[in-house]
Structures are given as structure tokens and as C-alpha cells.
Amino acid sequence: MLLLLTGVLTASPQDKRRKSQMRDSVTLDNVTVTGKSKTQKLREGALAVNAIDVRSMVSSISSLSGIVDRTTGVKVREEGGVGSDFDLSINGMSGNSVRYFIDGVPLDTKGSGVTLANLPVNLIDHIEIYKGVVPTWLSSDALGGAVNIVTNRKKTNYLDASYGFGSFHTHKADLNAQYVLKNGLTIRPTLGVNYSKNDYMMHGVEVWNEELREYVTADRRRFHDDYLSLIGQLEVGFTDKWWTDEFFVSASYNKVNKEIQTGQIQTKVIGEAERRSEAWSIGANYLKRDFLLKDLSASLSLSHTWDHSQAVDTAYRKYNWDGEYIKSSRNEITGRARTLRHFKRPLTIGRANLKYRFSDEHLLDLSYALNRTGNNRWDDVDKTFEAANDVLAKHIIGLTYNQSLFSGKLNNTLFLKDYVNHLNINQTDIPTVTGSREVQGSSTSNNFGGGIGIRYQIFEPLAVKASYEHSVRLPLARELLGNGTTIYANTKLEPEKSDNFNIGIFGTLKNNDHTLSYEVNGYLRYVDNYIQPQVSEKEGMMQYVNEPAVHIKGIEGELRYDWQQRLQVMGNVTWQDARDRQEFKTDGKPSVTYNNHVPNRPWFYASAEARYQFRQLFQKTDRLQLGIDYQWVHWFFLSWEGYGALDTKARIPEKNIVGANITYSWQNGRYNVSLDCQNLFDATVYDNYKLQKPGRTLFAKFRVLIQ
């Protein structure tokens, strides 16, 4: 960030005896001071990390998932429109290998329905995306990386409200505010509402032609895909007191209703089934520098979440893309008896982080986290369903030593982690599929990890960094126990273990009004017991399974150019190679999938975007910003290459998407109007095979910021 400061003061009294009678002579010069933003400092740290400044884009974006999808080495694959399930991958590791946080606390504390897609964007300051190596202060068992959403922590009164509407009957409203009383009591309300019918056109779906007596392809509109989410939160606390730097208690509520249009494949059409979820949470956060001892800082948090979800599948019907149905003897999703399944998953999270700074060059960091998830489940309709109350609990301990030498040119970090996993599995349903009878009862396991990170600044335009972590990732409730609708449980899942390596170079070149930044990274991931979703096309169901050994290697690069903070151009490209490295099966026979690419995973993709800003266009306090972005993803196979002939195998087609947006702000950003168009040329796009995304989408947004 460039700050222009005026005010270099020089005084030259000619006679000390007459100094009090003279006016000092003053000379004002322009001084250019170059500083680094928080996001730039993060990118230049020892660990491999993307940092995205959201503040400059809040007025134009409708969700966080879109901007995250355009960053280096990251790919977001959605299963449909607004509110659909999505999969985020970082350097080839995806799904639950990636963990999500908000201000360093797991995003799960807000409820299972809160995601990047529906979190109020007005709340966000910036996003940190850690690749492969995750810092201990996040206290996580993330294997592939972590996404930390950092919220706005202004200390002034403000009101930030926005409303937007767009294609397919989409409406989004966000409110974020803060009010500070005279006694220092601070109140922060937050509200977010999202609704969409998602009634976009599906191209090339199969429909029955009565005249031809066969199935033909045609275009049909989605008819059972409504989505509604509501997020409300209230924080009350104090800042900058003698006993605390920041102490807040919070309460939040989240509600999601989601109709289900398809299973895991597009040919399975659903017209009645739906998912519902509701979550309440309470929590407290405490931050203090010089806690008990000088130079010792503490961050403590405790939260509890009551999360109740329902999966409703009570219709004995079979639908087609014309919206018509025939009566059936089975339900829509699983092809079994009617179900009205309940899942209560109470979540308790406790975290403690202590940092002791010996000097400006040496820092010691100790962290601990408890994460306990219950799984109380029952069914109101299916009387043969066996109710159960499972428990998944884990303890994670981390210790880090940070070192800064040679005036900050050399930064080192060394860390250790201990993962303790406790399971108590009671369920026994569908044992031939879920393996539930084989793992009943209580069990505890312990795993160790650790790593190192190094960064050295050779000179301003060139720096090198490298990092390594041996990481462990414990399966989540969704993977072990399913979701009650489209995902089967697999109680035999083993924890993932991975050796993650990163090496990169980066730098910044400046010449007057021009700034060029670059970064190139290479990475290796050696994963054992890789957890991979496996789709059954016959049933339209999915289940998570272990692949014994997967190796991932890749390289990524990014360029950023800035001219006078008016023109910004960014581009990145990622190539990665993820392969099955298990040569022989457990019975000693050669594995058909040995050295195959891991299926259903993008392996080559790129994106680019450009923004230009006009200032003082109609008045002194206005701005007009024009933007355009482009995404390209190479085609990839849906299933393992070793099964069947390559020329007839199902492929997820190549993706080419262009987007454009325009934002006008006036009165120094108090009022903002934007128009955003995604998929400008209305391309037919798939992220997963036969799970089609919306075509051309328009979204208009109005935002007011009073502060």
C-alpha cells in the first residue's frame, strides 16, 4: 500500500537570542512511504498461503466461493446453483481434507448449514488460504490446507447493509453493524438471508419421446431446487480494557431449507425429497496481551452448537425432467422405504493458544483444541431404522517455535502436533455397505505430526521459501456417518496421513507507478489412506472410501500487475498430477488402477481477471470500476482410467467461463451499485459429471456503508 505523506519540517533559526521573536521557516516536501498490506505480508511468509483482500470487492460480489475459486492452486466445484453442495480443492487435496475457520475458530461452530456460499460478505476483511502446511494456532487436523475467514474488526460505529437480486429468482440481503457505548460496551449484530429457486435451464437431459418410444435429449427447466438460508448473530463485549484486549460473548442462529433436484448423477431426477437444518450456538472469545506475564499473549475460546438436520424422503414416486412422475414402491433417493430421518449433532469446541515472545526474533506458541461431535439419529417413519447415538471426539495439541534473523530477511518456523481421536460407534444399519457391525464400540487412537517452514529474502525482487509437514487428517462425521440422504456411512474409514512439501520463489518489482508481483510454487503430497468419494451411478448415491496410496505433484504460478492503483491485472495457472500408487491389492493381485489419475478431480486449470477504476467521474467523491474475469478447466475423467475403454469413458467436459462486472460508488463509498454477470456467453458447464451448473447469470446489488 502506498501512503503519500506531507509534512517534512525544517527550521533554521539564525539567532538563538531572537528565536522566540521569529516565525519558524517551514518547507513541505512530498515523501513516499511504502508499506505492505496484511495480505501481502501473509503471502511473503514462510508457509505457502494465498491471501485475498475482500474489502475492495465487497460491493460487487455475491458470495465468497467465486473469488476463492479464482485464486492460485484452488478450485471450487459446485453441484448446481445457489446453496448447492460444493467441493473445494487446494493443490489436489479436496473435500474434508480442507478445513474452514472464521477468525481462527472452526466455521462448524455456526452450524453445518453455514458455508462460503452463504456467509454474509459484508462481514469479511480478508481470506487466508493455507496450502498443505497449516499453522498450529489453527489447531486443526487439516491435511490438504485450511481456509481462514478474517472478519472486519473496526473500532468505530458503522452500518453496512446490502441487498441484491438476480437470475433464477435469487435474492440476497446482508447486514453487519457495530455500536460502541460510552462505557466501551460493543454490540455487533449480523444478518444474512439467501433465497433462490435455482430454476435454470438444463441442457441435453434425457426425456421420454412417446412418438419415437425412446429417450431423447432436450432442454428442461429445474423444478424442485428451492434454497433458503438465514444466518443471524449477535456479539456483545469489550475491547481495550485493562483486563482484556478483546472479550466477546456471542449467540447465533442458522436455518437452511434445501429441495433436492438430483442425486449424485443428473439422470436421477427427484421431485419431493428435501433437506432441512437448524442450528443454535453460543460462544465466548477472550484475547489478552501480557496475560499473567509480560510478553505472554493468550487467545481462549469456548463454544457449543445445537445442530439438528432432517432428511425428508417420504414420496413413493419416480420423476422425470418434464416434472411428471409415476408411482413407485420405493422412495426417491435410496430406493428403499420411506424415511424422515433426524440427525442431532451437538458440537462442543474449546481452544486455547498461548504465545510467548522472548524477543523480537524469537516466539514460542502452544495451542490446544477439543472438538467433540455427537450423532444422535432416529427416523419418524421408517420403524426398522435403528436409532443410535455416536460420538466423535478429538484433541489436537501443537507447539511452534518462530525465529526471525538478519533484520527479518530470514524467517524460520518449526512445529509439532499431536492428534488424539476417540470414537464411539453405536449404529448398525446396512452393515454390508457401511461396515458398522465391524467397528462397534469405543476406540481411541493417537498420531503425531510436525513440520518446518523457511523463508529467505535475497533482495526485494527475489525471495525463496520452503515448507514441509507430516500431517494427519481424522475423518469427519459426514464421511464416517453419511448425511442421511445422498451419502452412505462408512464407519471403517481410516485417518489420512500425508507428507506435504512446498517450495517457491516470489518477489515484487516497482518502477514509479508500476508494480509487478510474481510467485511460483511447486508441491508434492504423498498420501496414505486417501479418502475419496465414490459414486454409484446405478443408485445415485455416494460413499467415502480409502485409497491406500496417492501421490500428488504440481506446479502453480501467479502474476499481478498494478498501475497507480487504478488498473489491476492478475493471472494464474495450475497443473497437478494425482495418481494411485498402490501397485498390488490386499490379495496380492495387481491393481487395475495403479498409476491412474485420481478420478473426478481437475488437474489443469487457469484463471485471469482485470479491473480498472475511474475516479472523480461525475463528482469528486465517486468511483467507477469495470472488471472482467476468465476461467478455464481442462476436461477430466469421472471414474478410474483402468476400468473400461478410454474412448467411451465418461468425462467432465472442458470449462470456459467469462464473467464481467461494473460497480459505481459515490460519497466516498457510502453508496454502491453493482451489476455482475457470470457465464457471460451462456456456456453449458459441468463441475461434476452430469451435474450441470447455471447458464448466464445476472446479479444486481445495492450497498450502503455508514461510518
Side-chain angles (χ1 to χ4, degrees), residues 106 139 301-303 347-352 367-373 392-397 420:
S139 300
S301 68
L302 180 65
S303 68
L347 173 66
T348 301
I349 292 180
R351 301 163 69 84
S367 62
Y368 166 76
L370 162 68
N371 188 313
R372 184 189 187 278
T373 305
L392 291 79
K394 54 190 175 187
H395 308 262
I396 301 173
I397 303 169
V420 180

Side-chain angles (χ1 to χ4, degrees), residues 417-438:
K417 295 180 181 180
D418 184 19
Y419 309 85
V420 180
N421 193 33
H422 174 75
L423 301 177
N424 190 352
I425 304 296
N426 292 322
Q427 62 173 278
T428 59
D429 56 309
I430 323 179
T432 56
V433 176
T434 66
S436 54
R437 293 194 188 279
E438 301 176 37

Side-chain angles (χ1 to χ4, degrees), residues 94-216:
S94 62
N96 297 316
S97 296
V98 178
R99 295 285 197 259
Y100 301 89
F101 301 84
I102 182 165
D103 292 325
V105 177
L107 189 59
D108 296 339
T109 58
K110 306 301 179 186
S112 59
V114 179
T115 69
L116 292 180
N118 60 19
L119 198 67
V121 296
N122 298 14
L123 187 68
I124 313 304
D125 181 86
H126 66 275
I127 302 175
E128 304 165 356
I129 304 176
Y130 295 91
K131 303 177 181 179
V133 181
V134 178
T136 58
W137 59 266
L138 284 176
S139 300
S140 170
D141 59 335
L143 191 79
V147 178
N148 184 36
I149 301 162
V150 181
T151 61
N152 188 344
R153 287 309 192 201
K154 297 177 183 177
K155 295 187 178 181
T156 58
N157 294 337
Y158 66 89
L159 172 66
D160 191 345
S162 66
Y163 167 72
F165 62 95
S167 303
F168 318 121
H169 301 87
T170 300
H171 301 267
K172 298 188 177 187
D174 293 337
L175 183 144
N176 184 36
Q178 178 171 278
Y179 184 70
V180 183
L181 281 70
K182 291 183 179 180
N183 62 357
L185 181 68
T186 302
I187 302 172
R188 296 173 179 160
T190 300
L191 180 67
V193 181
N194 294 267
Y195 171 78
S196 181
K197 286 188 69 67
N198 287 312
D199 54 344
Y200 57 90
M201 188 66 72
M202 301 287 288
H203 299 288
V205 297
E206 291 186 350
V207 296
W208 178 255
N209 187 302
E210 186 64 32
E211 294 181 0
L212 299 177
R213 304 295 298 172
E214 64 181 21
Y215 283 98
V216 298

Side-chain angles (χ1 to χ4, degrees), residues 244 288 375 390 402 490 504 636:
T244 185
K288 183 68 173 72
N375 186 56
D390 311 307
N402 289 319
N490 184 359
F636 50 96

Side-chain angles (χ1 to χ4, degrees), residues 506-707:
F506 63 91
T508 302
L509 298 92
K510 296 180 180 180
N511 182 13
N512 297 325
D513 295 332
H514 306 275
T515 303
L516 180 67
S517 301
Y518 70 92
E519 184 170 3
V520 179
N521 292 301
Y523 52 89
L524 296 171
R525 307 282 187 263
Y526 296 116
V527 190
D528 293 330
N529 291 327
Y530 181 79
I531 297 177
Q532 162 84 359
Q534 182 174 281
V535 176
S536 168
E537 293 196 34
K538 181 179 179 180
E539 294 182 304
M541 295 288 289
M542 187 175 77
Q543 186 180 45
Y544 289 93
V545 298
N546 285 117
E547 299 295 341
V550 170
H551 292 179
I552 304 171
K553 60 184 177 182
I555 189 169
E556 61 189 27
E558 180 181 70
L559 278 175
R560 292 173 174 265
Y561 170 74
D562 179 275
W563 175 70
Q564 291 188 346
Q565 293 186 343
R566 291 176 179 267
L567 174 66
Q568 290 88 35
V569 180
M570 291 154 279
N572 61 69
V573 60
T574 300
W575 173 84
Q576 58 197 22
D577 189 46
R579 294 180 182 269
D580 176 17
R581 300 301 297 170
Q582 187 72 11
E583 189 171 358
F584 297 98
K585 297 188 293 185
T586 54
D587 59 4
K589 296 180 180 179
S591 173
V592 174
T593 62
Y594 173 65
N595 212 33
N596 282 193
H597 286 95
V598 174
N600 202 27
R601 287 286 181 271
W603 58 274
F604 191 22
Y605 48 91
S607 66
E609 57 184 302
R611 296 194 300 267
Y612 188 84
Q613 186 176 107
F614 298 91
R615 300 171 185 165
Q616 300 181 5
L617 196 63
F618 303 111
Q619 52 183 275
K620 291 184 178 180
T621 59
D622 71 352
R623 290 177 299 170
L624 177 67
Q625 181 173 281
L626 306 177
I628 189 168
D629 60 80
Y630 169 71
Q631 291 187 71
W632 170 80
V633 180
H634 195 281
W635 66 264
F636 50 96
F637 286 119
L638 171 67
S639 57
W640 291 104
E641 301 167 41
Y643 297 136
L646 288 180
D647 57 347
T648 60
K649 289 189 65 60
R651 301 182 180 189
I652 289 82
E654 179 179 273
K655 179 164 71 172
N656 288 277
I657 293 184
V658 176
N661 61 79
I662 180 172
T663 303
Y664 179 67
S665 305
W666 66 99
Q667 288 196 16
N668 292 317
R670 169 173 284 200
Y671 303 107
N672 307 265
V673 176
S674 68
L675 181 64
D676 180 77
C677 180
Q678 293 299 314
N679 197 355
L680 184 63
F681 299 110
D682 200 24
T684 301
V685 178
Y686 304 87
D687 271 341
N688 295 303
Y689 181 64
K690 290 301 182 182
L691 292 177
Q692 197 175 131
K693 296 185 65 176
R696 184 186 298 112
T697 304
L698 293 173
F699 190 80
K701 180 178 179 180
F702 176 74
R703 176 185 178 226
V704 58
L705 173 61
I706 302 173
Q707 59 184 348

Side-chain angles (χ1 to χ4, degrees), residues 67-88:
I67 59 173
V68 169
D69 189 34
R70 296 196 294 269
T71 60
T72 317
V74 179
K75 187 50 56 187
V76 176
R77 294 184 298 135
E78 296 173 312
E79 296 184 0
V82 177
S84 62
D85 291 341
F86 70 91
D87 179 81
L88 184 147

